[in-house]
Amino acid sequence: MGKVLIIGAGGVGTVVANKVAQNSRIFTDIMLASRTKSKCDAIAEDVKRRTGVTIRTAQVDADNVPELTALFNMFKPELVINVALPYQDLTIMDACLACGVNYLDTANYEPKDEAKFEYKWQWAYQERFREAGLTAILGCGFDPGVTSIFTAYAAKHHFDEIHYLDIVDCNAGDHGKAFATNFNPEINIREVTQKGKYWENGQWVETEPHEIHKPLTYPNIGPKESYLIYHEELESLVKNFPTLKRARFWMTFGQEYLTHLRVIQNIGMARIDEVEYNGQKIVPIQFLKAVLPDPGELGENYTGETSIGCRIRGIKDGKERTYYIYNNCSHQAAYEETGAQGVSYTTGVPATIGAMMFMQGIWKKPGVFNVEEFDPDPFMEQLNKQGLPWHELFDVDLEL
Amino acid sequence: MGKVLIIGAGGVGTVVANKVAQNSRIFTDIMLASRTKSKCDAIAEDVKRRTGVTIRTAQVDADNVPELTALFNMFKPELVINVALPYQDLTIMDACLACGVNYLDTANYEPKDEAKFEYKWQWAYQERFREAGLTAILGCGFDPGVTSIFTAYAAKHHFDEIHYLDIVDCNAGDHGKAFATNFNPEINIREVTQKGKYWENGQWVETEPHEIHKPLTYPNIGPKESYLIYHEELESLVKNFPTLKRARFWMTFGQEYLTHLRVIQNIGMARIDEVEYNGQKIVPIQFLKAVLPDPGELGENYTGETSIGCRIRGIKDGKERTYYIYNNCSHQAAYEETGAQGVSYTTGVPATIGAMMFMQGIWKKPGVFNVEEFDPDPFMEQLNKQGLPWHELFDVDLEL
């Protein structure tokens, strides 16, 4: 049915390559490209062994628009699945516009020199994508991604108005390392060390980093200390669901993880500005990334599971109700299926489903959209089929 | 009376420059050299303002023997005071031999690629210095340095045999930073993260890092948790005082300092091997040094004091006795006098006194020597005059 180009050969790219290959009736021609072609070749070889499907590979510098357009014009994909770095969203979108290619990503653009998680840069492409008749699907991983689709599904089927939304993200996995991040350390540390922020009564409320926290109970896991942090889907959700009185995001962190983060900041290794070193300019957090364990290598001995979901309170038929929808994902099952751990899996599977939605013409309209602006039902159906089954609880204590 | 060349323009170099200038009747011609001449110029300007004495400055790469010999042949010093990096001890000793210059340092040579604190490399120069008629004085800071001179003084005046030696090093200062090291972070972290080791009953006993610790009470400070670590003077002391049944070294660390060290190791930033980064080879601990606070900049708001001494048990006139000799040094007083904090001060003042001993012909004999091999009395007298007064306690509870 269609040609797809995956950009990015980290853990998420590994999962997307596997899942796209598993769905080769929809994705009939697949290419995987990244800065380091040997990484793509290794993934392609593994995918071939697991699924029998052949994936083409290519080298591309996703910071470089001419390189991207040359690749797009050569391969002529219908859709690009961008699972490279968030810094590269805009160059890839530019190349899509230049070549008439549709676009999907899993994390919003972020400028390299400030840790800002805002959609404004990508939303600014709305007119150009619409005029070009191209679809851009933003933030189609798990969070952002499935959490917004869960919210849209709840709003469509279970509520007349949703008032309170708490997205709860627990990773109860154990990778056996003293310290490692579950995805790109640079992005992870930038995200987690920023100030907290949530939406309440029509405005954003800012908190100190990790200022607000409480234990929340996760299905099949139990209580885990959870910290209010800012997460990018809050921005689009409060825009697209104006009945929301409050929207927050909670993530679990262990004490050791927080201690490591605190020290990394104290010693200056979380800095995102350039430092002079031996006549070279080096960004400390990028150098740190080079010495920390590669998140893609965490899979093999990773035990435990993730649990991510939405806890919602609102009105149905004039009565208040509560609703909790979630998915639990086992790190080991993810690794056995794709060679990547659960955090990569929960991001890569939704990206693949989003691409399926586009390829099948279900999620296809000119312009730039967040995932909650599409019909959630066909996506929700695929979650159950593609390895991320979800569960609903009605009228339970949300703890929030 | 004589020409002296100081190599190294960090905190210790700053103190040595000041103290040498204060004693300009002995040091009649002073030069300060380092890799970065601008640092030397700034120190020289400050010394001029404080003492009225003019110091010459020069640029030299202390890793480079031809550069060193060119400088030595030009300036023709009688003595080099080496307060550069421990990696550079051997190149500077080589240049001294080539040019007929006497030598003094404050820390033993350490190869760059393994964290070993052993005298073997420098002791191997014994014959060459003797044949050249040159004096090399090793380890003439506070520890190593004064601690060994305290021990020699105790052995000379207060004991017939010393049996148990515990060197106790407390820094009860507060620099107000979340984390900073008091001297070169690279050397400090290498030293503190290595395994513990002490001498007992004729052999070395190894411990895990920080495995043995207990609270010790320091004069004018109170009890502080103190950790058994290996420190280089133990090697020469057990050789030069063969009656020692046990010799140990204790250093105080705060919980926060240890947490930071543990994380720095966990995240790979204490590594001393090369890491590939953007096509360049970078040693993580050296990059870390570039982002941590400069120890030379800690002085201004540094409060509290250090307390370093020797706790000794042995035999005098057939009876067991205990003896505790120590110096306390105020960070603020050190900063006011020299512009550097107490840890730099307690290293730089003894180096200056050692240089005085040499210049006055008191500590002058061909060969390579540790400080306890010279007469301690004239050095002890100068400690009281040059800013590091010492105190003795007899027959007290040593806690050890």
Side-chain angles (χ1 to χ4, degrees), chain A residues 357-388:
Chain A
M357 296 295 107
F358 171 80
M359 287 295 192
Q360 294 175 317
I362 303 168
W363 283 17
K364 190 170 191 168
K365 50 186 179 182
V368 172
F369 302 99
N370 293 90
V371 291
E372 67 269 25
E373 298 179 75
F374 297 101
D375 181 8
D377 294 354
F379 192 106
M380 293 290 282
E381 194 188 318
Q382 283 300 322
L383 278 174
N384 285 326
K385 293 185 181 164
Q386 300 292 336
L388 294 175

Side-chain angles (χ1 to χ4, degrees), chain A residues 136-397:
Chain A
I137 302 169
L138 304 185
C140 194
F142 207 105
D143 44 342
V146 176
T147 50
S148 299
I149 295 159
F150 281 171
T151 305
Y153 184 80
K156 181 174 175 181
H157 296 289
H158 301 306
F159 290 92
D160 296 323
E161 279 186 12
I162 58 174
H163 291 164
Y164 299 94
L165 167 67
D166 287 285
I167 301 171
V168 293
D169 179 335
C170 171
N171 182 359
D174 179 7
H175 48 55
K177 309 263 182 195
F179 181 76
T181 58
N182 289 297
F183 56 98
N184 187 316
E186 189 183 345
I187 309 301
N188 183 226
I189 292 170
R190 283 166 81 126
E191 180 178 280
V192 171
T193 56
Q194 64 175 342
K195 290 202 172 191
K197 197 168 79 170
Y198 63 98
W199 179 262
E200 190 163 42
N201 298 327
Q203 62 186 4
W204 292 106
V205 182
E206 203 175 68
T207 74
E208 288 308 303
H210 312 147
E211 181 186 343
I212 299 178
H213 54 97
K214 61 189 319 184
L216 297 178
T217 307
Y218 296 88
N220 203 33
I221 291 167
K224 290 278 176 188
E225 198 66 19
S226 306
Y227 295 78
L228 189 153
I229 67 170
Y230 179 67
H231 218 247
E232 62 196 68
E233 63 263 54
L234 295 178
E235 185 183 9
S236 66
L237 286 170
V238 301
K239 193 185 108 188
N240 290 318
F241 297 95
T243 61
L244 278 171
K245 295 179 180 175
R246 190 182 64 202
R248 301 182 295 190
F249 187 100
W250 304 81
M251 190 176 270
T252 61
F253 302 115
Q255 267 313 309
E256 266 295 272
Y257 180 87
L258 292 177
T259 296
H260 279 69
L261 274 187
R262 182 170 63 83
V263 170
I264 286 168
Q265 290 181 285
N266 282 346
I267 63 176
M269 288 305 297
R271 284 170 61 179
I272 60 176
D273 59 321
E274 288 175 335
V275 165
E276 192 81 26
Y277 180 75
N278 273 359
Q280 218 199 352
K281 289 193 194 311
I282 293 180
V283 177
I285 200 170
Q286 287 174 11
F287 181 75
L288 179 62
K289 181 183 163 189
V291 295
L292 283 178
D294 178 353
E297 305 289 309
L298 293 178
E300 195 161 359
N301 299 304
Y302 214 141
T303 58
E305 54 191 50
T306 63
S307 179
I308 316 175
C310 296
R311 301 186 184 187
I312 299 171
R313 195 143 47 98
I315 300 291
K316 178 72 174 176
D317 299 329
K319 282 195 293 195
E320 184 164 270
R321 86 180 312 177
T322 63
Y323 175 73
Y324 181 10
I325 179 167
Y326 67 91
N327 160 263
N328 274 30
C329 175
S330 149
H331 287 292
Q332 281 204 300
Y335 182 72
E336 279 159 27
E337 184 189 333
T338 64
Q341 34 90 350
V343 176
S344 300
Y345 191 87
T346 53
T347 308
V349 171
T352 307
I353 299 174
M356 289 170 65
M357 296 295 107
F358 171 80
M359 287 295 192
Q360 294 175 317
I362 303 168
W363 283 17
K364 190 170 191 168
K365 50 186 179 182
V368 172
F369 302 99
N370 293 90
V371 291
E372 67 269 25
E373 298 179 75
F374 297 101
D375 181 8
D377 294 354
F379 192 106
M380 293 290 282
E381 194 188 318
Q382 283 300 322
L383 278 174
N384 285 326
K385 293 185 181 164
Q386 300 292 336
L388 294 175
W390 43 273
H391 313 278
E392 296 174 297
L393 298 169
F394 291 91
D395 300 314
V396 289
D397 175 9

Side-chain angles (χ1 to χ4, degrees), chain A residues 178-179 256 259-260 262-264 266-269 271 275-277 280 282-284 286-288 290-292, chain B residues 178-179 256 259-260 262-264 266-269 271 275-278 280 282-284 286-288 290-292:
Chain A
F179 181 76
E256 266 295 272
T259 296
H260 279 69
R262 182 170 63 83
V263 170
I264 286 168
N266 282 346
I267 63 176
M269 288 305 297
R271 284 170 61 179
V275 165
E276 192 81 26
Y277 180 75
Q280 218 199 352
I282 293 180
V283 177
Q286 287 174 11
F287 181 75
L288 179 62
V291 295
L292 283 178
Chain B
F179 180 77
E256 266 294 273
T259 296
H260 280 69
R262 181 171 63 82
V263 170
I264 286 168
N266 282 345
I267 63 176
M269 288 305 298
R271 284 170 61 179
V275 165
E276 191 81 25
Y277 179 74
N278 273 1
Q280 218 198 354
I282 293 180
V283 176
Q286 285 174 12
F287 180 75
L288 179 62
V291 295
L292 282 178

